[in-house]
């Protein structure tokens, strides 16, 4: 089938063994509408499924700048097939859990539509590992149908997150901001104000 996302045409084969066998799901479309990919961005498609996200990114950022990975052998095989269907040869597609076989740690963008209908263990691994794999200023964009846990997790790991609600999905956009100094915490005085004034006058030689 041929599909189009944000004006980008993609040739795509799907399978019942892989997520979203009918084509591009609404969650993925919502996520990509917020991705703002630019040429030269180094992109990781985390949990690539049939490869739609990575192929879309490659058509904008350049195929040499894209890496894809999935835990399912069927997804990896299908992604490799779709890469070739779109006339690309240089996109590595790895098999493994999360970042298991990803050696790079300088991505400017990580995109993920995780399995959010299960427990949060996969999402926890994705978000915590994502922070470590991004370069300074890099972004992680994730789409789910759940709000609170993801919002709190992104804030705890990245220090903040922007959230967009689109078609019943939540798109989380978090940036790795290095070098931000925390505000100093004011410590409580060890003596009362009255004793402090007395101590100051004594040091300056004033009479009490």
């Amino acid at each position: 089938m041929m599909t189009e996302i944000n004006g980008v045409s993609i040739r795509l084969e799907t399978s019942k063994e892989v997520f979203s066998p009918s084509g591009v799901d609404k969650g993925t479309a919502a996520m990509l509408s917020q991705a703002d990919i630019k040429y030269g961005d180094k992109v990781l498609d985390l949990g690539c499924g049939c490869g739609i996200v990575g192929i879309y990114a490659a058509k904008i950022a350049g195929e040499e700048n894209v890496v894809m990975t999935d835990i399912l052998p069927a997804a990896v095989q299908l992604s490799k097939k779709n890469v070739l269907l779109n006339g690309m040869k240089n996109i590595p597609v790895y098999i493994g859990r999360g970042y298991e076989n990803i050696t790079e740690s300088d991505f400017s963008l990580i995109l993920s539509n995780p399995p959010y209908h299960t427990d949060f263990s996969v999402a926890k691994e994705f978000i915590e590992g994502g922070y470590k794999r991004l370069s300074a200023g890099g972004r992680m964009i994730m789409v789910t149908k759940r709000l609170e846990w993801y919002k709190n997790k992104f804030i705890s790991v990245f220090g903040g997150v922007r959230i967009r609600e689109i078609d019943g999905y939540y798109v989380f956009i978090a940036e790795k901001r290095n070098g931000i100094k925390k505000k100093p915490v004011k410590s409580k005085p060890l003596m009362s104000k009255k004793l402090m004034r007395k101590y100051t006058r004594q040091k300056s030689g004033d009479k009490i």
Side-chain angles (χ1 to χ4, degrees), residues 131-150:
Y131 185 87
K132 297 173 184 176
R133 299 289 180 154
L134 286 169
S135 57
R139 296 170 298 143
M140 183 171 199
I141 304 180
M142 182 176 284
V143 63
T144 80
K145 275 199 167 184
R146 298 183 179 185
L147 176 61
E148 288 302 321
W149 185 91
Y150 286 88

Side-chain angles (χ1 to χ4, degrees), residues 11-13 80-88:
R11 187 179 296 277
L12 195 66
E13 280 197 20
K80 288 180 177 180
K81 187 173 184 178
N82 283 327
V83 164
L84 294 175
L85 280 176
N86 285 273
M88 301 174 180

Side-chain angles (χ1 to χ4, degrees), residues 4-17:
E4 187 173 297
I5 304 175
N6 304 327
V8 177
S9 297
I10 298 171
R11 187 179 296 277
L12 195 66
E13 280 197 20
T14 60
S15 166
K16 292 181 179 179
E17 296 179 74

Side-chain angles (χ1 to χ4, degrees), residues 3 5 12 14 33 38 45 49 54 58 61 69-71 88 93 99 112 115 130 133 149-150 158 169 182 193 199:
T3 188
I5 304 175
L12 195 66
T14 60
S33 75
K38 294 179 174 59
D45 179 2
T69 186
D70 201 289
I71 195 171
M88 301 174 180
V93 186
Y99 304 91
S112 184
R133 299 289 180 154
W149 185 91
Y150 286 88
F158 283 82
Y169 289 85
K182 291 184 178 179
K193 289 182 180 179
Y199 175 73

Side-chain angles (χ1 to χ4, degrees), residues 6 19 26 42 47-48 51 80 88 102 144 151 154 163 177 187 194 197:
N6 304 327
F19 174 71
K26 288 184 178 180
K42 187 166 183 179
C48 60
K80 288 180 177 180
M88 301 174 180
I102 304 299
T144 80
K151 180 183 73 174
F154 269 110
I163 304 168
R177 298 172 293 176
S187 57
K194 185 177 179 181
R197 286 196 299 270

Side-chain angles (χ1 to χ4, degrees), residues 161-189:
V161 66
R162 288 180 289 138
I163 304 168
R164 303 283 183 268
E165 185 174 4
I166 304 170
D167 290 333
Y169 289 85
Y170 297 102
V171 180
F172 301 86
I173 307 164
E175 182 180 338
K176 183 174 182 176
R177 298 172 293 176
N178 278 359
I180 296 178
K181 293 182 179 178
K182 291 184 178 179
K183 291 182 180 179
V185 179
K186 273 190 174 183
S187 57
K188 293 182 179 179

